[in-house]
Amino acid sequence: MNEGVLPKYLLFSSSDNSLFNYQTKINDFIGSADLYIFEEREKDRVIIEKLGLQAHQIFCVKEIVMIVFPLIGKYEFEELVKRLNIKLKNYNRPLSYLNARLTWEILKQCFEKTLKMELTFITKIIGNTEGLKSQAYFQKISTIIVKKYPDRPIRTDSSFRKKARNIFAQVKDENTQQYPILREWVISCFEEGGLLSKSFPSFEYRSIQTKMAKTLTDGFIQGVDSIIEAGTGTGKTIGYLIPSLWWAKKNGEKVIIATHTITLQEQIFFKDLPNLKGILPFSFITALLKGRSNYICRKSFLEQKGSYLQFSSRERLERVIILSWLEETETGDFAELTHININDIAKRYGCDNRLCQPGDCQYRQSCYYLEARKIAEEADLVVINHSLLLADIKTKNRVLPEYYNLIIDEAHNLYPTALRQLGFELSLEQMLRIMDILQGDDKTSLLSSLKRYYITWSRAYPDSQLNVLDQTLKDIPASALSIVEQSKELFKMVDSILEGRSSLLVDEESLDRYTLEYFSLAIENLLNRLDVLNSLLDKINSSIIADSEQFDSIKHEIIRYKSELAVIIEGLSAILDKESDSQITYLEKTNTVYIKSCPFDVAPILKEEIFSKNNCTALISATLSVADSFAYIAQDIGLESYNSLKLDSSFNYDEQMLFCIVNNLFDGQGEDTLITKTASFVKEISELMQGRTLVLFTSHRVLRLVHYQLQREWESYDLEVLSQGINGNRDTILKEFMQKERCVLMGTNTFWEGIDVPGDDLRCVVMVKLPFSSPETPIIKAKSGLLKKHGKDPFNELLLPEAVIRFKQGFGRLIRTKDDQGVVVLLDDRAVKKNYGRSFIKSLPISSYFKGDARMVLGEVSKWI
Ligand code: SF4
């Protein structure tokens, strides 16, 4: 405690109605002192006004605590109290007073921490909180420190105490380490009475987990690839982590684990690996590696120019939170800043910035990305995501350290991610951004830098050379303008070609000859203009090439910029390449309009870059097989020879859930019936289940119409409906769904997988239609064409297996733990009426299901619950 430093206080709660009886007393006490409230809400402001408080300053405690404790992550009141470990003994006052008292305790912790901060740092915060309420708070603390602790040393260096480091990195100590060499040791870990059962009291022996560990261990030893389908609850993560760590240590070969979702990546790195660290008889180094843009670049952030006026107050608060976070973070990973919008921040201050030149960077010793890379080089096991794996392929292995062993978890996502990552996409916004980097108003634009250098060159260069430079600098704005104009024209045309459709394949079947030619001409025109700009930059570069080292930095900047242009030039040129049939081009409109192209077939690329190169690659997921075969996934990704293993889930689906198919719901009737009947069924079943229902659609349009239909019945329906795209994006409404009671969640594509709501919050999943892709989806259309060419049937070879995998994913949303229970209902009876329907039913881990009309299904469900 800092006796005499903490101010005297009076607590009152704005939700206490008797407050106005003490108006005079409160006013007398506060006088012109400061008033601290947790959060500035409208109702607090009204009360303060009504009380006529003349407080000197009103502070928002939440704003202060976000700056002082930047790593806490969650700032909702109750969460904050928990995370700051605030406990009040014997406080028998009403809840409103308790909250006021807790607010004081939060503030007290802020006081105590700020008072220990160094003066230079507080001064920096004061400079960065210009225009924010919290500035006066830090000014006060600074005055107190000067008065109370005049002898406290002032830090003057600009280096950081917290250097980037991997928080789980361990120093290798080979002499003292004994690690088992035998394959049998790995298998024994999973047996009854083995290492896992001795170490974790909650460990349950699962023969399927042992089988998986065996397959993987043998895969490493024999250099054989494997595909493993391991349902939820098989303990698959530990099942592959122990064999991987054993192999990495035994052979000194790095193993890479690639997941699709950040959630799994973080679960492995922050939970599973530390757990194993405590029990395995050998030490190991692990690293979590993300793409460059995930790490903050100190240089971009700390050297950003411009006055605070250029930032909105939200941005100013975010900046000061980052400033404070930089003092504490050991990873520099934006993911730690869960309470601010990191998308914008990452774009501005990510390590993928074009000005990065480690050789010239004064922060390189504490650069988070460089450190993460270094640790990944040294690590035995590196956790990454699919995107990074594919970025490494795309950049010819410039992203990942050398590796020969790879485990791909959530492997059903590898193919779609590869199509996206190995492809090319361009939007008008991207074009405008790249032109802005060249000549935007910002002082850091390339043209501004060139003009600054020109002053130096003008003193040193002969006239002839100077004239060339002078003229080239004058030509750049006109060149950029013509690119902007042509880009606008091109994307306007793309928008009109799409005519309200969400996507369209660019081929002779979808577009008439005239439109195709017009489209190609517009791209050619843009390419010509990009070539002009490219040669202007070449001219500048060659003029300064012979110069001294002092111009290295600008040359480097030009090269980086040219490499961004080169990606666009290469992508657009490939679209025009009539000879190449290895890729498809399509137009897409989501939040903006895109021209996209991707390899027609990623299998040869993945085969060459992953499977042929590695000692062992294992693909693992809960949904990889179709009718007990892995041929579909293997063909998609180019895996030719492999061991396969299909492990059933350890859950007892027959006991834990009821699966129903509704007959004849949409029989031969139009969209209107589909909407009304779906809405009516969702209403009835969700009322039965008291909310806790997830409805999976295959079309955004149908989802929206069902939502509005339910809305029309709001008065007789007391459940809240959260729909994707109407009430927020996937993550926001999912979070809300988990926090609220009596709620229905409705979503399309991304909701069919990766939604993990264990326990009672989710008791019912409704699948409206079998999840077939539209045959008009560009990639499906292109692949179907190819299959037809080879005499194959696109429905059986492509659409059906793809839909079955997606169906299994949707089905898998319900039972997430062995204690979960609930109901899955399919409203589409093609699963039982059509021949192909068997593939869907056969793929489920159940032995029976109920079938009947809507009334009968609802009756069965109400009996079951
Ligand atoms: S080395 Fe590059 S990424 Fe790292 S801090 Fe310096 S400029 Fe930023």
Side-chain angles (χ1 to χ4, degrees):
M1 288 283 291
N2 299 277
E3 290 301 327
V5 172
L6 293 173
K8 281 206 302 180
Y9 63 88
L10 165 73
L11 296 173
F12 65 92
S13 161
S14 61
S15 52
D16 181 3
N17 290 333
S18 64
L19 202 59
F20 292 97
N21 300 339
Y22 307 102
Q23 188 165 0
T24 323
K25 269 191 180 172
I26 293 173
N27 263 306
D28 283 352
F29 184 89
I30 293 184
S32 61
D34 298 326
L35 187 63
Y36 289 89
I37 56 178
F38 182 70
E39 206 168 356
E40 238 188 311
R41 293 166 306 179
E42 186 53 32
K43 72 171 193 178
D44 298 315
R45 265 194 295 270
V46 170
I47 300 237
I48 289 166
E49 216 171 275
K50 273 195 189 160
L51 280 172
L53 297 181
Q54 299 298 315
H56 177 236
Q57 300 263 5
I58 297 178
F59 291 104
C60 167
V61 174
K62 191 170 173 179
E63 182 179 303
I64 296 171
V65 79
M66 285 202 286
I67 300 170
V68 177
F69 290 97
L71 276 173
I72 285 222
K74 288 225 159 110
Y75 297 88
E76 287 81 34
F77 188 73
E78 286 78 17
E79 196 59 41
L80 199 51
V81 168
K82 238 190 266 164
R83 293 187 182 209
L84 287 173
N85 201 18
I86 298 173
K87 290 184 186 106
L88 294 180
K89 278 186 203 150
N90 309 324
Y91 196 79
N92 302 318
R93 305 287 301 270
L95 184 68
S96 51
Y97 282 91
L98 174 70
N99 286 347
R101 179 61 206 269
L102 289 171
T103 302
W104 163 249
E105 292 295 329
I106 294 170
L107 182 64
K108 195 170 89 178
Q109 291 212 19
C110 289
F111 267 120
E112 287 170 355
K113 185 168 176 196
T114 326
L115 281 167
K116 287 181 194 144
M117 286 177 177
E118 285 166 9
L119 211 48
T120 37
F121 180 61
I122 296 183
T123 311
K124 237 192 236 174
I125 290 190
I126 293 169
N128 279 275
T129 39
E130 197 74 57
L132 297 178
K133 287 203 159 164
S134 48
Q135 189 184 46
Y137 165 84
F138 290 102
Q139 281 165 337
K140 269 175 205 298
I141 299 280
S142 150
T143 316
I144 294 171
I145 294 177
V146 172
K147 258 200 215 157
K148 290 260 171 192
Y149 312 107
D151 300 331
R152 182 181 290 181
I154 295 171
R155 182 161 58 107
T156 50
D157 65 295
S158 63
S159 66
F160 288 81
R161 281 164 301 169
K162 292 279 179 198
K163 301 291 181 208
R165 74 181 177 91
N166 182 305
I167 47 180
F168 290 116
Q170 284 187 357
V171 180
K172 283 190 185 188
D173 183 3
E174 301 292 348
N175 296 333
T176 58
Q177 286 182 33
Q178 294 290 322
Y179 46 88
I181 300 290
L182 301 175
R183 164 194 181 273
E184 283 62 34
W185 174 84
V186 183
I187 317 299
S188 74
C189 290
F190 298 88
E191 302 285 6
E192 278 177 282
L195 181 73
L196 289 169
S197 85
K198 279 188 205 145
S199 312
F200 302 121
S202 60
F203 175 81
E204 278 172 41
Y205 166 71
R206 282 167 280 203
S207 60
I208 43 182
Q209 194 184 33
T210 316
K211 266 191 210 164
M212 177 176 170
K214 252 185 214 162
T215 307
L216 279 171
T217 309
D218 291 342
F220 282 127
I221 296 170
Q222 294 157 11
V224 177
D225 297 335
S226 36
I227 301 186
I228 301 175
E229 183 170 88
T232 323
T234 45
K236 68 178 163 71
T237 317
I238 298 296
Y240 63 69
L241 284 179
I242 293 183
S244 302
L245 288 165
W246 166 79
W247 181 258
K249 289 302 291 188
K250 179 176 170 296
N251 284 53
E253 277 182 15
K254 196 181 301 302
V255 178
I256 301 268
I257 310 283
T259 72
H260 180 65
T261 55
I262 291 178
T263 319
L264 181 56
Q265 208 180 0
E266 295 190 339
Q267 181 211 303
I268 293 172
F269 191 72
F270 292 111
K271 189 171 154 247
D272 298 327
L273 285 170
N275 277 345
L276 290 178
K277 207 151 258 184
I279 64 158
L280 292 186
F282 49 84
S283 73
F284 51 86
I285 301 179
T286 59
L288 176 68
L289 188 63
K290 298 186 177 179
R292 289 185 79 124
S293 61
N294 290 280
Y295 302 91
I296 188 163
C297 163
R298 289 195 207 268
K299 186 178 169 75
S300 311
F301 179 74
L302 295 169
E303 295 184 1
Q304 161 127 3
K305 304 198 174 59
S307 128
Y308 77 94
L309 289 170
Q310 76 186 77
F311 302 109
S312 67
S313 55
R314 184 184 60 84
E315 285 170 330
R316 264 175 268 155
L317 178 61
E318 285 176 353
R319 277 184 59 81
V320 78
I321 289 171
I322 296 176
L323 188 70
S324 168
W325 170 68
L326 272 175
E327 285 280 304
E328 302 196 359
T329 176
E330 291 178 343
T331 66
D333 181 350
F334 288 121
E336 289 176 356
L337 295 166
T338 47
H339 51 301
I340 62 180
N341 178 0
I342 54 168
N343 288 342
D344 290 349
I345 301 280
K347 259 184 223 150
R348 255 189 260 165
Y349 310 122
C351 281
D352 57 341
N353 73 83
R354 71 193 164 90
L355 298 178
C356 171
Q357 293 178 59
D360 277 355
C361 176
Q362 61 160 318
Y363 307 97
R364 70 179 173 280
Q365 298 298 344
S366 57
C367 172
Y368 293 110
Y369 174 69
L370 294 181
E371 184 62 17
R373 271 288 323 225
K374 198 166 132 227
I375 300 283
E377 296 277 352
E378 292 165 8
D380 302 300
L381 185 142
V382 184
V383 185
I384 61 164
N385 63 15
H386 293 178
S387 296
L388 205 63
L389 176 70
L390 292 154
D392 188 56
I393 293 176
K394 205 170 174 179
T395 57
K396 304 272 172 252
N397 311 111
R398 280 174 37 215
V399 174
L400 296 178
E402 196 172 49
Y403 69 92
Y404 297 102
N405 301 284
L406 171 68
I407 307 278
I408 304 175
D409 200 346
E410 300 176 317
H412 60 277
N413 275 308
L414 180 66
Y415 176 74
T417 314
L419 280 179
R420 213 176 37 246
Q421 287 274 122
L422 300 176
F424 163 78
E425 66 173 42
L426 189 65
S427 66
L428 179 60
E429 287 70 19
Q430 275 168 266
M431 285 306 300
L432 297 182
R433 186 191 64 86
I434 194 164
M435 288 306 115
D436 207 48
I437 293 173
L438 178 71
Q439 56 147 25
D441 295 338
D442 194 339
K443 283 188 187 124
T444 60
S445 77
L446 179 57
L447 194 58
S448 306
S449 306
L450 286 168
K451 283 179 180 165
R452 277 196 299 278
Y453 273 94
Y454 181 77
I455 300 168
T456 321
W457 294 329
S458 61
R459 290 188 212 110
Y461 281 22
D463 280 353
S464 56
Q465 205 171 344
L466 211 54
N467 288 343
V468 175
L469 277 168
D470 186 34
Q471 189 52 48
T472 315
L473 288 183
K474 280 181 186 149
D475 288 342
I476 284 180
S479 166
L481 185 65
S482 82
I483 290 171
V484 168
E485 279 168 0
Q486 183 55 26
S487 305
K488 285 183 178 166
E489 174 121 15
L490 172 66
F491 284 97
K492 199 170 147 201
M493 185 204 327
V494 170
D495 201 15
S496 76
I497 294 175
L498 277 166
E499 277 182 325
R501 286 168 288 203
S502 57
S503 61
L504 187 70
L505 185 65
V506 177
D507 69 353
E508 282 159 9
E509 208 184 292
S510 316
L511 299 177
D512 59 52
R513 200 164 57 90
Y514 170 76
T515 313
L516 266 178
E517 269 173 25
Y518 194 36
F519 174 71
S520 303
L521 206 67
I523 290 189
E524 209 174 307
N525 212 331
L526 179 58
L527 267 173
N528 291 339
R529 294 172 193 217
L530 287 167
D531 280 341
V532 171
L533 176 61
N534 209 16
S535 23
L536 288 174
L537 294 172
D538 277 343
K539 229 186 227 180
I540 295 181
N541 221 8
S542 54
S543 299
I544 55 178
I545 213 107
D547 223 313
S548 66
E549 276 179 12
Q550 59 170 315
F551 299 131
D552 271 1
S553 154
I554 187 72
K555 276 191 280 182
H556 190 87
E557 213 178 313
I558 295 172
I559 289 167
R560 293 257 340 220
Y561 187 80
K562 273 171 58 63
S563 67
E564 285 205 41
L565 277 187
V567 173
I568 298 174
I569 292 173
E570 201 185 307
L572 291 175
S573 307
I575 288 174
L576 288 186
D577 183 0
K578 301 262 183 316
E579 300 303 305
S580 162
D581 58 358
S582 63
Q583 66 169 20
I584 59 165
T585 301
Y586 58 102
L587 314 175
E588 195 176 275
K589 189 170 185 177
T590 47
N591 51 345
T592 188
V593 174
Y594 290 97
I595 298 171
K596 293 189 174 183
S597 72
C598 65
F600 197 80
D601 189 5
V602 291
I605 306 172
L606 298 180
K607 184 182 163 195
E608 188 184 326
E609 299 292 335
I610 296 181
F611 307 118
S612 310
K613 196 190 82 174
N614 283 343
N615 165 56
C616 167
T617 303
L619 295 127
I620 300 167
S621 164
T623 48
L624 288 173
S625 70
V626 178
D628 289 338
S629 161
F630 294 102
Y632 171 69
I633 178 97
Q635 189 182 320
D636 258 356
I637 56 171
L639 185 56
E640 285 167 0
S641 108
Y642 54 90
N643 285 334
S644 66
L645 185 65
K646 189 170 181 301
L647 300 169
D648 291 332
S649 166
S650 61
F651 302 151
N652 189 339
Y653 283 92
D654 284 333
E655 278 188 10
Q656 289 182 253
M657 66 167 298
L658 170 71
F659 177 53
C660 301
I661 301 173
V662 180
N663 269 336
N664 311 325
L665 196 63
F666 313 131
D667 263 6
Q669 293 152 347
E671 193 183 70
D672 283 354
T673 317
L674 169 73
I675 308 304
T676 344
K677 295 211 168 174
T678 305
S680 148
F681 188 86
V682 168
K683 180 173 181 281
E684 291 202 48
I685 199 159
S686 56
E687 277 170 345
L688 259 181
M689 308 304 291
Q690 300 184 32
R692 305 182 294 178
T693 300
L694 167 68
V695 189
L696 298 172
F697 290 82
T698 50
S699 143
H700 281 283
R701 184 184 145 72
V702 174
L703 180 151
R704 267 199 314 277
L705 293 172
V706 169
H707 177 95
Y708 294 128
Q709 176 75 28
L710 285 168
Q711 204 170 37
R712 275 195 278 281
E713 301 183 27
W714 252 204
E715 279 178 15
S716 63
Y717 187 48
D718 70 337
L719 299 174
E720 186 170 353
V721 178
L722 296 168
S723 296
Q724 182 189 11
I726 297 174
N727 304 98
N729 64 24
R730 181 184 124 133
D731 292 348
T732 325
I733 61 174
L734 177 62
K735 199 168 152 201
E736 236 182 285
F737 175 75
M738 289 167 78
Q739 282 164 354
K740 288 183 171 164
E741 284 177 3
R742 302 183 61 75
C743 207
V744 177
L745 182 65
M746 307 212 297
T748 57
N749 302 347
T750 55
F751 280 71
W752 285 75
E753 67 162 311
I755 299 267
D756 193 11
V757 186
D760 247 11
D761 290 344
L762 181 65
R763 293 292 304 272
C764 175
V765 174
V766 177
M767 295 189 270
V768 178
K769 286 272 187 181
L770 290 173
F772 283 109
S773 292
S774 156
E776 289 306 307
T777 310
I779 292 165
I780 298 284
K781 193 174 175 193
K783 281 182 86 178
S784 300
L786 185 73
L787 287 166
K788 274 188 214 157
K789 235 191 217 172
H790 290 97
K792 292 183 178 170
D793 171 19
F795 181 79
N796 283 318
E797 303 271 337
L798 176 65
L799 287 162
L800 182 60
E802 201 212 34
V804 169
I805 287 181
R806 182 141 287 235
F807 176 71
K808 282 165 70 174
Q809 284 159 355
F811 181 91
R813 294 312 98 215
L814 183 72
I815 304 294
R816 310 301 298 165
T817 72
K818 68 177 174 38
D819 298 321
D820 287 355
Q821 294 211 324
V823 179
V824 176
V825 183
L826 172 65
L827 305 187
D828 187 343
D829 61 3
R830 286 179 294 173
V832 282
K833 282 190 174 163
K834 301 281 183 191
N835 280 343
Y836 61 75
R838 247 176 298 138
S839 304
F840 290 93
I841 304 295
K842 236 185 111 191
S843 70
L844 300 179
I846 48 168
S847 58
S848 65
Y849 60 90
F850 180 83
K851 178 177 71 167
D853 63 23
R855 208 54 30 232
M856 289 159 77
V857 166
L858 287 167
E860 189 67 16
V861 171
S862 58
K863 265 193 267 161
W864 196 85
I865 52 177

